[in-house]
Amino acid sequence: MRPFIRFESVSKAFGSLTVVNALDLAIEKGEFVSLLGPSGSGKTTILMMLAGFERPTQGAIYLDGKRIDHLPPYRRQMGVVFQNYALFPHMSVAENVAFPLEMQRVPRAEITERVERALDMVKLKQLKDRRPSQLSGGQQQRIALTRALVFEPSVILMDEPLGALDKQLREHMQLEIRELHKRLGLTIVFVTHDQSEALTMSDRIAVFNAGRIEQIDVPQVIYDTPRTRFVAEFIGETNLIEAKVASVDNQVARLSLGAGLSARAHAGNGLSAGQTASFSLRPERIRLGASPEGSNALDMTITDCIYHGDHMRVQLTRDEFSLVARCERLAGNWTVGAPVVASFDPSDCTVLTQ
Amino acid sequence: MKAGVLRERSGALLLVLPVLVFMAVFFLWPLWAMVTAAFVDDAVSKVLPRTAASIVSWNGQGVPSEAAHKALVQDLRAATDEQALGEAVRRLNSAASGFRTLLGRTIPAVKAASDPAQVDLLAIDPRWKDTRFWMALKEAMPPYTDRNILAAVDMKRDASGSIVLEAADASAHRLIMLRTLLVAAMVTIACAVIGLPYAMLAASLTGWKRSVLLLAVVLPLWTSLLVRTAAWFILLQNEGLINRALQAIGLIDSPLPLIFNRLGVVIAMTHVLLPFMVLPIYSVILGIPRNLMSAAQSMGAGPVRAFWRVLLPLSLPGLLSGSLLVFMVAIGYYITPALLGGANDQMISSVIAFYATGTANWGLAGALGLMLLGVTTVLYTIYGRFSTSPQVPGA
Ligand SMILES: Nc1ncnc2c1ncn2[C@@H]1O[C@H](COP(=O)(O)OP(=O)(O)O)[C@@H](O)[C@H]1O
Ligand SMILES: [Mg+2]
């Protein structure tokens, strides 16, 4: 199937600064794709190229098979939710929501009806005569979203739309947007630098670093098997292990971790005996105490134990080698200085490139 | 402790004292002088205090009693301050023509008489039988008057004391005030028409281009008004640059009348006042979040519709304060109309200057000045409303 949105080796430079570097990206119709990356990694620039506010220096962008990178923004039919909502301060809520419909020259009567219906959907009908400045941040956010949805654009683009909200409201809005996406079958490109937001909301996540995609995949794969060191560190918390590959046998590598420890890991392709490589091991994948059949078992010492409410963070050390494990609070009674066996499955230890 | 605070307070007071003194001397005092000039009318009663006291009881029929005659004779004999006497004579003559010659004959005769009790005014001059002169005397006596403020709006009190319109050909203050407002309105519109696109252009540019545009509009503020007006004089005259250039390229045969008419006044004033329009609009536009225009475009608004629906309405507060500012300054203009305008382009300030320095009629000058001040104050109040009202919410 032909992808709905396609970036074809798109680059963007501001003067001598290359912000987006030979980007290839395909997004299906109805998909929720997050662009995730640290500040300055070029996410907004990519979104602005898609919306038409920036022109690619090189490459082509296609929407539904038609090349669009030469079209002005007002010909692209995309709903954009801006970082600070960009509601028109001189118009009421209803006028704001009616604006895109007026621009599409929808008949008056139909505009009124569609605005009512849209405001009803986000449960803000009673605010329709207010000015944006009289709304709370969450309400403004919802109006901005409604305004982007009301003219039934082919794509919704959102640039860190929840960044200005407090944590509770943000989580609520995450669910609400996800719900709308499912219900209306929207195609959404969502920019964020918040990894947990990307993980909970997206069908797929594209992790950006310095204008390049480091990895693009469904959230579970991004989290469980990060491909690069950058992804492993940017998404969640991880133990980065530098290890020497002792041998590779049938996709299983035997690693020497230092301090006399060794472990097995899924090698993937391209690992050969004798080289050093980086591995990622998520703290919650480490079990303390028991070591089931087939798992790695390391004899370590507990050097610190930090209480986090719903879980404990246990620091494990053996000479210069150390790990952090994340355990259920009630999983055991860990005392600092006590020896312990740390175990994990070979498949949870993921090899990283770079 | 308390003494320390007190000392600190008085120290602070000392620091602002120069400003307060400056304000008092150069702002409050002239203002007060203007008000008193407009309303106080004691030139006659100061010189003729006894007459003032005795004439109040006169009912205005025929001539006043013998006592009033005596009082006048005494006052005239006692009047030694030539300047004050001259002032009083001028004031009386403006109320009743012929008073100057009447007093010119009376005063020497009264002063020469050996016994003041024997002086008979009617014998010196039979005109003292005329009620008109005694009426003028009586009316000049009250120390406060509304004569000036009425004259400022082309009105006066008739013989019975009720307020009536001045004869149409006698005074033109209303006409000149209207003309002033009209010229100010024309200048304001011209400034708005040029200033709005200019400010928008400046705000849309960045870097040195923006600096050049802003500098070009602010620079005139740093040159003297007289120099700028003189420059326009050179440009606009019949042999000036503009007419020469137009003739050289063959667009016109004879020079366009650009100077000594309203067009010249409006051109020069527009140039001088343009910064007061551009800067408020510019600052308002800078405060409009850029992504509002992007948002409008993303929703299908082309550049023109985005401009009409978003940028223009949001710039209006700036346009409004700019217009009020330009209008306020324009109605007080004096030098530019005087140098570049014709006889029919003089504005109210020129009239004020004429009364103040030309005929030394400080009372009327003060009254007209107060009227101008009143109009400006009203406009300033409106301006204050608009320039403080919040328009762009926490974006
Ligand atoms: N108009 C511009 N001119 C020059 N540099 C820009 C412009 N827009 C963005 N940049 C630069 O491009 C880089 C990426 O910016 P951006 O796409 O906004 O990143 P992100 O949204 O991921 O934080 C930043 O270093 C930024 O300074
Ligand atoms: Mg950004």
Side-chain angles (χ1 to χ4, degrees):
Chain A
M1 202 185 100
R2 186 178 64 189
F4 190 53
I5 298 170
R6 190 152 59 92
F7 283 76
E8 207 175 73
S9 55
V10 169
S11 298
K12 176 71 187 176
F14 293 109
S16 59
L17 176 72
T18 302
V19 174
V20 177
N21 207 336
L23 172 75
D24 286 304
L25 175 64
I27 296 170
E28 302 296 339
K29 198 172 176 80
E31 209 179 9
F32 190 129
V33 172
S34 289
L35 311 184
L36 174 65
S39 178
S41 56
K43 311 178 297 288
T44 298
T45 306
I46 292 168
L47 208 67
M48 290 302 117
M49 286 195 287
L50 189 51
F53 299 115
E54 298 284 0
R55 280 232 172 168
T57 320
Q58 259 168 27
I61 304 173
Y62 297 90
L63 176 69
D64 208 7
K66 288 186 287 290
R67 189 163 171 178
I68 58 163
D69 47 275
H70 60 281
L71 287 180
Y74 50 91
R75 294 259 164 73
R76 294 199 187 189
Q77 292 281 323
M78 295 186 186
V80 185
V81 179
F82 288 85
Q83 218 156 358
N84 291 316
Y85 317 138
L87 294 175
F88 302 130
H90 58 300
M91 298 184 193
S92 71
V93 164
E95 286 166 338
N96 263 285
V97 177
F99 187 85
L101 298 173
E102 280 170 34
M103 294 304 117
Q104 322 281 322
R105 303 191 193 283
V106 173
R108 266 268 85 147
E110 192 186 331
I111 290 182
T112 319
E113 189 209 310
R114 277 170 75 175
V115 168
E116 293 266 315
R117 201 154 15 104
L119 286 175
D120 228 8
M121 189 175 68
V122 290
K123 303 185 185 67
L124 288 178
K125 205 155 129 189
Q126 71 282 6
L127 301 180
K128 70 183 164 66
D129 295 321
R130 296 245 191 118
R131 289 290 162 107
S133 56
Q134 298 167 308
L135 302 181
S136 71
Q139 289 167 336
Q140 290 185 20
Q141 164 61 48
R142 252 181 280 177
I143 295 303
L145 188 61
T146 312
R147 191 178 65 172
L149 288 173
V150 73
F151 65 110
E152 291 163 7
S154 53
V155 189
I156 307 274
L157 310 180
M158 302 194 205
D159 190 1
E160 312 211 6
L162 309 178
L165 305 181
D166 60 51
K167 187 169 179 295
Q168 214 165 0
L169 195 53
R170 192 160 64 225
E171 283 166 3
H172 178 78
M173 285 305 297
Q174 286 171 4
L175 294 180
E176 206 163 308
I177 293 172
R178 209 179 122 83
E179 219 275 312
L180 278 174
H181 165 244
K182 291 242 165 63
R183 184 145 56 95
L184 305 177
L186 303 167
T187 308
I188 296 182
V189 183
F190 187 96
V191 163
T192 180
H193 66 256
D194 180 341
Q195 41 109 1
S196 76
E197 193 166 280
L199 287 172
T200 49
M201 298 178 77
S202 327
D203 294 329
R204 280 195 302 154
I205 300 173
V207 184
F208 278 86
N209 182 25
R212 287 178 190 278
I213 295 184
E214 292 267 336
Q215 187 172 2
I216 174 165
D217 218 317
V218 299
Q220 293 91 311
V221 174
I222 294 276
Y223 186 82
D224 289 340
T225 48
R227 260 219 310 266
T228 67
R229 189 181 175 131
F230 177 83
V231 176
E233 281 186 310
F234 192 73
I235 313 266
E237 194 194 2
T238 200
N239 291 294
L240 275 181
I241 302 167
E242 300 285 337
K244 198 170 163 76
V245 179
S247 65
V248 182
D249 178 23
N250 196 17
Q251 296 275 347
V252 175
R254 178 155 284 283
L255 314 175
S256 79
L257 306 174
L261 294 171
S262 69
R264 280 162 301 126
H266 260 279
N269 299 319
L271 269 191
S272 53
Q275 77 173 114
T276 35
S278 306
F279 296 84
S280 159
L281 175 60
R282 298 286 183 197
E284 71 274 13
R285 296 293 176 183
I286 300 175
R287 290 174 298 258
L288 298 185
S291 58
E293 188 65 25
S295 64
N296 294 301
L298 306 176
D299 291 320
M300 311 280 287
T301 307
I302 296 175
T303 50
D304 202 0
C305 194
I306 301 163
Y307 175 69
H308 276 264
D310 58 338
H311 70 272
M312 308 281 286
R313 209 159 274 271
V314 183
Q315 180 80 41
L316 308 165
T317 312
R318 174 147 162 189
D319 298 340
E320 76 278 4
F321 181 76
S322 68
L323 289 174
V324 173
R326 179 186 155 132
C327 320
E328 290 295 316
R329 194 155 55 93
L330 301 173
N333 206 354
W334 315 115
T335 40
V336 174
V340 72
V341 176
S343 70
F344 54 91
D345 293 336
S347 59
D348 288 332
C349 188
T350 313
V351 65
L352 305 171
T353 59
Q354 296 149 31
Chain B
M1 179 68 212
K2 222 170 181 181
V5 169
L6 206 65
R7 200 162 43 224
E8 238 170 66
R9 289 262 168 84
S10 55
L13 197 67
L14 268 179
L15 282 177
V16 297
L17 197 61
V19 177
L20 292 179
V21 169
F22 184 90
M23 285 275 290
V25 170
F26 291 100
F27 183 71
L28 294 176
W29 181 69
L31 199 62
W32 179 243
M34 194 163 83
V35 173
T36 49
F39 291 105
V40 172
D41 184 26
D42 59 356
V44 177
S45 58
K46 222 167 42 191
V47 181
L48 310 173
R50 297 177 194 85
T51 319
S54 84
I55 208 169
V56 280
S57 55
W58 177 51
N59 63 2
Q61 304 291 318
V63 290
S65 63
E66 198 57 29
H69 290 228
K70 287 263 162 350
L72 180 59
V73 170
Q74 273 185 317
D75 279 336
L76 288 178
R77 283 176 71 95
T80 48
D81 184 343
E82 283 299 321
Q83 197 182 346
L85 188 59
E87 191 85 355
V89 170
R90 215 167 43 75
R91 165 73 179 82
L92 287 170
N93 194 58
S94 73
S97 55
F99 224 131
R100 189 186 301 279
T101 51
L102 173 59
L103 284 173
R105 186 180 301 176
T106 308
I107 293 171
V110 167
K111 288 202 169 160
S114 49
D115 180 6
Q118 297 303 316
V119 174
D120 180 7
L121 287 174
L122 294 175
I124 295 173
D125 194 312
R127 277 182 288 178
W128 281 115
K129 263 192 296 219
D130 192 342
T131 312
R132 197 164 65 89
F133 292 114
W134 287 107
M135 201 63 211
L137 254 183
K138 181 179 163 75
E139 274 172 4
M141 287 312 173
Y144 301 103
T145 179
D146 55 6
R147 191 166 43 88
N148 290 317
I149 206 77
L150 286 175
V153 290
D154 292 350
M155 299 205 287
K156 63 175 181 185
R157 286 186 185 276
D158 64 6
S160 66
S162 53
I163 296 170
V164 294
L165 270 183
E166 188 84 62
D169 55 345
S171 180
H173 295 145
R174 284 186 188 196
L175 181 73
I176 293 171
M177 194 66 211
L178 270 181
R179 178 196 297 161
T180 304
L181 296 178
L182 181 71
V183 171
M186 285 165 71
V187 170
T188 305
I189 290 169
C191 279
V193 168
I194 301 171
L196 184 69
Y198 193 96
M200 285 179 171
L201 184 67
S204 72
L205 294 175
T206 52
W208 66 269
K209 290 178 197 151
R210 174 188 280 189
S211 310
V212 167
L213 280 188
L214 287 180
L215 200 67
V217 79
V218 175
L219 210 55
L221 280 181
W222 299 338
T223 20
S224 131
L225 176 63
L226 207 56
V227 170
R228 277 176 286 167
T229 306
W232 277 110
F233 197 91
I234 294 167
L235 285 173
L236 294 176
Q237 58 190 311
N238 284 354
E239 295 77 37
L241 264 171
I242 294 175
N243 272 318
R244 282 262 183 80
L246 288 177
Q247 278 172 309
I249 60 174
L251 255 130
I252 50 171
D253 297 325
S254 55
L256 292 175
L258 297 175
I259 199 167
F260 306 132
N261 56 23
R262 189 133 327 155
L263 183 64
V265 175
V266 171
I267 290 177
M269 281 178 70
T270 300
H271 169 241
V272 171
L273 295 177
L274 199 56
F276 297 108
M277 181 67 81
V278 170
L279 296 180
I281 302 178
Y282 173 77
S283 73
V284 165
I285 293 180
L286 278 199
I288 301 175
R290 261 169 192 258
N291 63 10
L292 293 186
M293 288 299 277
S294 304
Q297 294 202 15
S298 76
M299 288 179 274
V304 176
R305 285 204 286 172
F307 170 82
W308 277 108
R309 293 294 306 274
V310 179
L311 190 58
L312 189 62
L314 288 175
S315 317
L316 282 186
L319 185 66
L320 216 61
S321 14
S323 300
L324 282 166
L325 213 52
V326 168
F327 194 84
M328 269 191 295
V329 181
I331 54 174
Y333 253 58
Y334 164 47
I335 292 179
T336 310
L339 289 182
L340 298 176
N344 283 328
D345 303 308
Q346 297 313 305
M347 292 167 65
I348 198 76
S349 299
S350 319
V351 178
I352 296 174
F354 167 76
Y355 283 125
T357 60
T359 67
N361 189 344
W362 287 98
L364 195 47
L368 286 168
L370 278 182
M371 193 165 75
L372 189 57
L373 184 69
V375 173
T376 313
T377 308
V378 169
L379 289 173
Y380 185 78
T381 313
I382 301 173
Y383 171 78
R385 281 280 162 76
F386 279 112
S387 56
T388 52
S389 71
Q391 353 90 28
V392 178

